[in-house]
Amino acid sequence: MEWLLLLCVLSPAVGCIINGLFGRWTYRAAGVIGSTFLGISFALAVPLIIYAIQGHVVDYSYYHWIVSGKFTVPFGLRLDSLSAMMLGVVTFVSFMIHIYAIGYMGGHKGYARFFTYLNLFVFAMLLLCMGNNYLTMFIGWEGVGFCSYILIGYYYEKKTAADAGRKAFVTTRIGDIGFIVGVLFIILYFGSVKFTDVFAQAHMISPAIITIITLALFLGAIGKSAQFPLYVWLPDAMEGPTPVSALIHAATMVTAGVYMVARSAPLYALSPTGSLVVASVGAFTALFAATMALTHFDLKRILAYSTISQIGYMMIGVGVGAYWTGMFHLMTHAFFKALLFLSAGAVMHAMHGVLDMRLMGGLRHKMPQVCIVMIIASLAIAGIPPLSGFFSKDVILSEALMLGHPIIWLVGVVTAFMTAFYMFRMIFFTFFGESRVPEGMHPHEAPSVMLVPLWVLAVGSIVIGGILGVKVHGHISIEHFISLTSPNAFPIVHKYSETLLIIISIIAGVLGIAVAWLAYIPKGAFSFRSFVVRTFHPLYRCFFNLWWVDEIYNFLFCRPFWHVSERFLWKAVDVKVIDAGVDDVGRVAGLTGRAVRILQTGFINNYACWVSAGALIICGWYLLKIM
C-alpha cells in the first residue's frame, strides 16, 4: 500500500511533466493526457480509501529528507481516515474538472500549458493532504499557492488577470508567515515535525505555547482559505479560467486551511482559545461574505463570496471541536461548488464571456440542462433536504449549539437564510424572467464533454450527503470515520431537540428561496425590491459597495506602503544614496582619468621633462630627509 499511495500522489506530476516537456508535440492531446493521469490517480485512490475504511493506517517514510543532528525530516506519506477522505474528494472532483476543461479550454492559446499547470496544482494538493509531517505539508501548501498564482494569471496579457494573480500571491504569503512561525515553534518545542511525534508530546507542552502554535497555524489557514481579513484575493481570482475557479474553490487551495486545522486537532483540542478564535473568525466570515453576495451581479463573484461564506461554516465546525462536521461539509461542498462553477462556466461559454446577470435572463429555454444542474447545486448549498448540503450544514449548526455556542449557531442560521436568497436570486436572474441577452448573441447548450461532468457532480450533490449522513451503530457514518483520526475535542454541554434544530434550518433555507422569488419573479417584484432598497438604503449601500474593504485596505496599507517604497526607498535611498554613491565613484574615476590624461601627450621631450622633474623632487625630498 505504501508504494500504491506514492503512485497515486505522483500520477498528476507525471501528466504535468509530459505536457510540460512535450506540449509542443502533444498540444491537441494535452487535455486527454492530463485527464488520464488524474483518472489513474482516482483509480489508485479507490483501493486506498477502502483500505482506510477498513480501519488501516499507512504511515511510511520513503527517505530522510533533512538530517541535522538529532533532528530529521522524512519524506513520507500518511493514509488514515482524514487523508483518505481528502484523497477521494481531490482526485474525483479534479478528474471531473479536467474532463470539463477539455471542452471549455479547447482552441485556447496555451492549451498544453494550462493542463500542465492544472496537473501540478492537483499534485501539490495531494502532497499537502497526504504528507505525514508539517514540512511536507508546507511544500504542498506553498505549491498550491504558486499554482494558484500562475493559473489565476493564466491570461497574463490581460492586466486585471495579472493583477489578480499578484494579489492572490501577496495576500496568501502574509498568512504563510504565520504557518512558518507555527512550524518553527513546533520544531523548537517538539524536536520533530512528524504528526505522530508532535501529537504524542502535545499534552506535555505549555498551554500558552500550544495556543501560540495554533493561532500561528490558523493565520496560514486564514490566507489559504480566504477568511477575514485575508479573503480579498479570492473574488479577484475569478479572472482565471472557470475550471481553475472550480478547482480552487472545490478541491484545492481554499480547503487546505480547513484540512490543516482538522489534521492538527490534537493541538487545537488543547487550546480552547485557539479553537474559539477559529470558530469566531469562521462565523464572522460566513455572515460577512454572505452580505456581499446579496447585491452582486457578476455570476462568478457571487459564487466566490459564497465559497468564502461556506468555508466559514467549515471553520465553525472544526473550531467548535466537531472536526468531522467541518470535513463533512468540505466533502459535500466540493461537489455542489464544483457544479456551480462549472455551470457558471457553461453559461459564460455560451454568452461569449459575459458574466453580468443583468445581460442574461430566460436562459432556461436555451440551456435547459445547465439550468437543471445549477438549480440542483443551489438547492444543495441552500441546505434543502434531501440534498447533500442539508446534511452537512445542519450538523455544523447543531453541533455548534450542542457544544455551547448559541451566538455562532444564530449567525449560522441567519447566514443560511442569506445563502438561499442570493443563490436563488442568481438562478432567477440568470435563467428566468424576460431575456436581456444583447442582440447578436445566441446562447446555446453546453457540449457533451462539459455536460457529462456536470451531471456526475449533480448526482453527487444529491446523494453524497444522504449516504454519508446515515447513522450506523448510533453514529453518523462520516462522523465515525473521521473521528478515528480527529475525535470531538470538547464534550457536549447543552442538549436541544435535534428535530427542532432541523426544522429551523430548513425554514431558514425555504424562507430565503421564497424571498428571492418575491423579489425577482412576480409582476410586482420590481416594486418589492425598490421598497426593500429604500427601507434599508444605508445597509444596501454597504452590501453593494462590498463594505469598501478594498478601498480601506488600499488607504491603510497599499498607499502608505507605495509612498514609502516610491518616495523614500526609491527616490531618496535608492536614487540619492545608493545610485548617487555608485555614480560619484564613477564620476571621481572619470575626473581622475581626465586629469591624468594631460600627462599623456605622446611627445618624448615632454616625458623627459616630467621624468627630470620627478627626479629633482625625489632628490630634494631625500636631501631634506638626511639633513
Side-chain angles (χ1 to χ4, degrees):
M1 283 295 176
E2 295 87 357
W3 296 102
L4 188 65
L5 180 59
L6 181 62
L7 289 174
C8 181
V9 173
L10 292 179
S11 183
V14 176
C16 169
I17 292 170
I18 292 174
N19 279 328
L21 295 179
F22 308 107
R24 180 178 298 180
W25 298 278
T26 64
Y27 179 82
R28 292 182 180 277
V32 175
I33 292 171
S35 301
T36 298
F37 280 97
L38 251 296
I40 291 171
S41 186
F42 172 67
L44 295 175
V46 172
L48 291 168
I49 295 169
I50 294 172
Y51 191 70
I53 290 174
Q54 294 172 345
H56 302 292
V57 174
V58 176
D59 194 324
Y60 188 77
S61 298
Y62 298 90
Y63 66 91
H64 289 295
W65 175 24
I66 299 173
V67 178
S68 178
K70 294 183 179 180
F71 177 70
T72 62
V73 179
F75 172 76
L77 303 177
R78 179 179 176 84
L79 177 74
D80 54 22
S81 60
L82 188 62
S83 58
M85 195 210 79
M86 290 299 296
L87 183 64
V89 170
V90 172
T91 55
F92 180 76
V93 175
S94 299
F95 182 41
M96 292 296 105
I97 294 171
H98 272 67
I99 295 173
Y100 175 94
I102 294 174
Y104 187 88
M105 297 299 294
H108 279 248
K109 181 182 177 182
Y111 185 68
R113 173 169 60 91
F114 176 80
F115 280 95
T116 300
Y117 295 166
L118 217 60
N119 275 184
L120 183 62
F121 204 174
V122 179
F123 165 69
M125 187 64 185
L126 288 176
L127 190 63
L128 185 157
C129 296
M130 308 310 296
N132 70 351
N133 62 80
Y134 279 103
L135 277 185
T136 302
M137 176 188 279
F138 182 69
I139 296 301
W141 190 272
E142 291 300 295
V144 295
F146 168 71
C147 291
S148 68
Y149 164 68
I150 58 178
L151 282 167
I152 292 169
Y154 176 76
Y155 301 121
Y156 57 88
E157 295 175 346
K158 185 181 176 184
K159 186 179 185 302
T160 52
D163 290 344
R166 282 197 300 271
K167 187 175 184 179
F169 191 79
V170 172
T171 306
T172 55
R173 292 293 77 72
I174 295 171
D176 290 349
I177 293 172
F179 193 99
I180 293 170
V181 170
V183 172
L184 290 176
F185 266 84
I186 288 172
I187 294 172
L188 178 64
Y189 286 94
F190 293 88
S192 174
V193 290
K194 194 172 180 182
F195 296 141
T196 51
D197 296 340
V198 172
F199 300 156
Q201 302 177 54
H203 65 283
M204 297 184 290
I205 306 298
S206 165
I209 298 300
I210 295 294
T211 298
I212 292 173
I213 291 172
T214 54
L215 292 177
L217 292 176
F218 182 57
L219 179 57
I222 287 175
K224 276 289 182 293
S225 292
Q227 296 294 280
F228 184 86
L230 299 181
Y231 71 91
V232 291
W233 66 270
L234 193 57
D236 288 353
M238 299 304 97
E239 292 291 340
T242 298
V244 174
S245 302
L247 199 60
I248 289 175
H249 290 249
T252 61
M253 192 69 174
V254 296
T255 60
V258 180
Y259 169 76
M260 185 274 294
V261 174
R263 171 57 71 192
S264 305
L267 299 179
Y268 283 91
L270 296 173
S271 175
T273 300
S275 296
L276 182 60
V277 168
V278 173
S280 300
V281 170
F284 177 79
T285 304
L287 181 63
F288 187 67
T291 64
M292 292 184 281
L294 291 175
T295 57
H296 222 293
F297 291 101
D298 186 295
L299 197 62
K300 286 176 64 177
R301 286 177 184 261
I302 291 173
L303 298 179
Y305 288 115
S306 167
T307 297
I308 297 169
S309 182
Q310 295 303 306
I311 297 293
Y313 271 107
M314 298 175 206
M315 289 298 182
I316 291 174
V318 296
V320 299
Y323 303 102
W324 71 273
T325 63
M327 296 305 297
F328 186 18
H329 196 51
L330 185 153
M331 172 177 272
T332 60
H333 177 265
F335 283 86
F336 56 71
K337 185 49 63 71
L339 178 57
L340 283 167
F341 266 107
L342 298 185
S343 299
V347 173
M348 183 181 177
H349 188 267
M351 294 286 294
H352 306 288
V354 172
L355 283 170
D356 192 333
M357 297 189 303
R358 290 169 292 189
L359 300 177
M360 299 179 189
L363 290 183
R364 73 183 188 279
H365 303 297
K366 305 291 185 179
M367 312 176 68
Q369 293 191 60
V370 174
C371 176
I372 292 170
V373 297
M374 206 164 188
I375 289 174
I376 290 172
S378 298
L379 288 170
I381 197 173
I384 304 301
L387 283 81
S388 60
F390 161 74
F391 294 94
S392 57
K393 188 182 290 186
D394 179 69
V395 293
I396 288 176
L397 296 178
S398 61
E399 288 290 309
L401 189 59
M402 297 286 190
L403 290 165
H405 301 278
I407 295 176
I408 290 177
W409 171 81
L410 181 60
V411 169
V413 171
V414 173
T415 305
F417 162 77
M418 296 167 70
T419 301
F421 173 80
Y422 67 68
M423 289 307 304
F424 277 85
R425 169 183 178 267
M426 180 186 73
I427 292 293
F428 296 144
F429 231 126
T430 304
F431 293 103
F432 293 83
E434 295 182 0
S435 175
R436 300 176 298 277
V437 177
E439 291 185 11
M441 195 173 289
H442 303 287
H444 53 83
E445 190 66 273
S448 298
V449 71
M450 296 167 63
L451 284 175
V452 170
L454 293 181
W455 279 109
V456 171
L457 291 169
V459 172
S461 299
I462 295 171
V463 304
I464 194 70
I467 293 173
L468 298 178
V470 298
K471 289 195 174 184
V472 180
H473 303 301
H475 295 279
I476 295 175
S477 58
I478 187 69
E479 175 187 6
H480 177 71
F481 183 55
I482 297 300
S483 295
L484 296 175
T485 303
S486 304
N488 277 18
F490 308 110
I492 292 176
V493 295
H494 293 291
K495 289 288 185 181
Y496 299 90
S497 168
E498 290 187 14
T499 303
L500 177 61
L501 297 180
I502 291 172
I503 292 173
I504 292 173
S505 179
I506 295 173
I507 289 174
V510 172
L511 192 59
I513 296 172
V515 173
W517 184 86
L518 285 173
Y520 293 97
I521 295 300
K523 291 183 178 179
F526 180 78
S527 299
F528 177 75
R529 294 201 305 271
S530 300
F531 170 75
V532 172
V533 171
R534 288 195 306 271
T535 305
F536 302 99
H537 185 67
L539 203 56
Y540 178 82
R541 285 193 62 201
C542 293
F543 295 171
F544 186 78
N545 291 285
L546 309 177
W547 298 95
W548 296 278
V549 171
D550 278 331
E551 290 80 2
I552 293 171
Y553 282 8
N554 185 55
F555 178 77
L556 292 179
F557 304 110
C558 299
R559 286 177 59 187
F561 182 81
W562 178 259
H563 287 307
V564 169
S565 300
E566 181 185 25
R567 297 184 180 179
F568 177 68
L569 295 178
W570 173 31
K571 294 184 177 179
V573 177
D574 192 17
V575 174
K576 294 184 179 180
V577 178
I578 298 174
D579 284 354
V582 174
D583 292 343
D584 287 344
V585 170
R587 192 175 294 110
V588 170
L591 292 173
T592 303
R594 284 192 290 272
V596 174
R597 188 171 60 189
I598 298 173
L599 304 177
Q600 303 295 323
T601 63
F603 297 104
I604 294 178
N605 56 344
N606 287 345
Y607 295 155
C609 180
W610 287 115
V611 169
S612 299
L616 289 174
I617 291 172
I618 292 172
C619 290
W621 175 79
Y622 182 73
L623 290 174
L624 289 173
K625 186 177 180 180
I626 62 176
M627 288 177 63

